[in-house]
Amino acid sequence: MIKRLHLFEQIFKLSKMEELSNGSLTSILVCMLCLFLTVNGGYVKYYTGAGVVPGKLNVHLVAHSHDDVGWLKTVDQYFVGSNNSIQGACVENVLDSVVEALLRDPNRKFVFAEMAFFQRWWVEQSPEIQEQVRKLVDGGRLEFVYAFNHTPRAGWQIDPFGHSAVQAYLLGDELGFDSVHFARIDYQDRAKRKGDKSLEVIWRGSKTFGSSSQIFANAFPVHYSPPTGFQFEVFDDFEPLQDNPLLEDYNVEPRVNDFVEAALTQANVTRDNHVMWTMGDDFQYQYAESWFKQMDKFIHYVNKDGRVNALYSTPSLYTNAKNAAKVSWPLKTDDYFPYADGINAYWTGFFTSRPALKRYVRELSGYYLVRESA
Ligand SMILES: [Zn+2]
């Protein structure tokens, strides 16, 4: 506001100067008006529709909320948001606000996995909302990484504590998925894979079925949260991209630099020029606009800067880009077991309840593998 008043004062003073001709006064006024429009802090149209740009580093922003189907609270408590003293989590808020946010901008995308929650939400929606959600799914903007009248293509196993090679066979051959994405692999395995750029592999789950049993497997370089500083949950302490020059803490350039730096860091552990940022965390997007508003701005200003290309994406779009890349991926044929997330922090056998059932699973897995390798 101070800047605006200052401009008006200048114009007023100039208009009083008698030696100015009408023509030059008009041009000064036009100049001032232009300046005024550029710093007025009003509406900005963010260009969020970027696709993949060949030859650039592409940062695929995959918006997601990891909603455990029963963990510290029951499934129903998580859905309706009761018992929040145990954990502040309401999945109904997530789905309500994500659908709203997707409808606000046709370029925004979101992935959702937990159908037990979606089913509870869906049956309570009006026919109008259901129709809008169907369109979001048909348009590839709400991607279900498991079901809902659409054949899913991507496995989103982001939180299981280790992964059996049988999964590669089941998801790839039996279900026909073309990719699986996960966060948890052994910490030493992860360090090694970052070093030799083998976080992303062709994972073959069956010797008998060979290449028909394989799937593109993407192990995340850190976890399923965004790079540090890019977590935008409503009450989190993050530095928002602030692009209004009339307000405090304007920071477009430094925040764009932060983004580019984080993208280049991740590019160092990837073979081609596509990286995925998992934009979400446990029970996040309870006010989805907080995330999408920031991502809109980052996509707009990062692409204006031009050093890297940022886009709204999904696991399917990311996998398309990986398939198109002229890169050979390492082959993996065994399990991602055992799982440790730190020194002496092995999670193997941590399910100590139901030992009889687990023993049966263990024995049958053995028979299965023997049959496979026969
Ligand atoms: Zn989980």
Side-chain angles (χ1 to χ4, degrees), residues 61-71 78-79 87-99 101-102 109-118 141-146 156-159 220 223-226 231-234 236 276-289 291-292 295 313-315:
L61 302 181
V62 175
H64 78 101
S65 177
H66 176 66
D67 303 329
D68 296 278
V69 183
W71 174 30
Y78 272 119
F79 179 69
Q87 188 181 16
C90 172
V91 180
E92 193 171 10
N93 283 347
V94 174
L95 287 164
D96 281 340
S97 68
V98 162
V99 168
L102 291 178
K109 297 180 177 67
F110 192 78
V111 298
F112 197 76
E114 294 85 3
M115 300 313 288
F117 289 126
F118 183 77
R141 299 184 44 221
L142 178 57
E143 181 165 316
F144 285 107
V145 266
Y146 286 108
W156 192 250
Q157 300 275 351
I158 61 175
D159 205 23
F220 305 150
H223 195 51
Y224 51 74
S225 43
Q231 180 124 348
F232 306 128
E233 187 66 5
V234 63
D236 280 3
M276 180 194 282
W277 282 15
T278 44
M279 301 302 291
D281 212 320
D282 294 3
F283 298 98
Q284 305 224 325
Y285 289 73
Q286 293 192 60
Y287 174 62
E289 196 58 29
W291 284 87
F292 281 110
M295 289 189 285
S313 189
T314 65

Side-chain angles (χ1 to χ4, degrees), residues 81-240:
S82 57
N83 262 350
N84 269 358
S85 62
I86 296 173
Q87 188 181 16
C90 172
V91 180
E92 193 171 10
N93 283 347
V94 174
L95 287 164
D96 281 340
S97 68
V98 162
V99 168
E100 284 274 343
L102 291 178
L103 294 172
R104 285 177 85 145
D105 180 329
N107 299 312
R108 293 172 171 180
K109 297 180 177 67
F110 192 78
V111 298
F112 197 76
E114 294 85 3
M115 300 313 288
F117 289 126
F118 183 77
Q119 183 274 337
R120 281 167 171 75
W121 182 83
W122 176 255
V123 295
E124 294 180 6
Q125 300 310 304
S126 67
E128 292 75 26
I129 297 279
Q130 290 188 344
E131 190 49 36
Q132 286 173 323
V133 172
R134 278 201 183 90
K135 283 189 184 139
L136 290 174
V137 176
D138 287 342
R141 299 184 44 221
L142 178 57
E143 181 165 316
F144 285 107
V145 266
Y146 286 108
F148 191 64
N149 288 345
H150 259 254
T151 310
R153 294 176 44 204
W156 192 250
Q157 300 275 351
I158 61 175
D159 205 23
F161 288 50
H163 311 267
S164 159
V166 177
Q167 287 286 320
Y169 160 73
L170 290 174
L171 297 178
D173 190 56
E174 295 287 336
L175 293 181
F177 287 9
D178 51 20
S179 66
V180 59
H181 308 260
F182 45 77
R184 295 187 184 276
I185 64 171
D186 180 83
Y187 74 107
Q188 293 173 94
D189 191 22
R190 168 136 54 204
K192 184 181 171 295
R193 289 177 181 282
K194 282 167 82 165
D196 62 12
K197 299 189 177 184
S198 62
L199 283 167
E200 294 175 307
V201 298
I202 301 297
W203 191 18
R204 193 172 287 175
S206 161
K207 285 177 186 146
T208 309
F209 298 111
S211 63
S212 69
S213 68
Q214 70 193 24
I215 193 165
F216 177 76
N218 165 26
F220 305 150
V222 185
H223 195 51
Y224 51 74
S225 43
T228 308
F230 295 92
Q231 180 124 348
F232 306 128
E233 187 66 5
V234 63
F235 293 125
D236 280 3
D237 182 21
F238 62 88
E239 186 186 349

Side-chain angles (χ1 to χ4, degrees), residues 262-273:
L264 294 176
T265 301
Q266 194 169 336
N268 281 334
V269 298
T270 311
R271 292 189 179 219
D272 62 353
N273 59 356

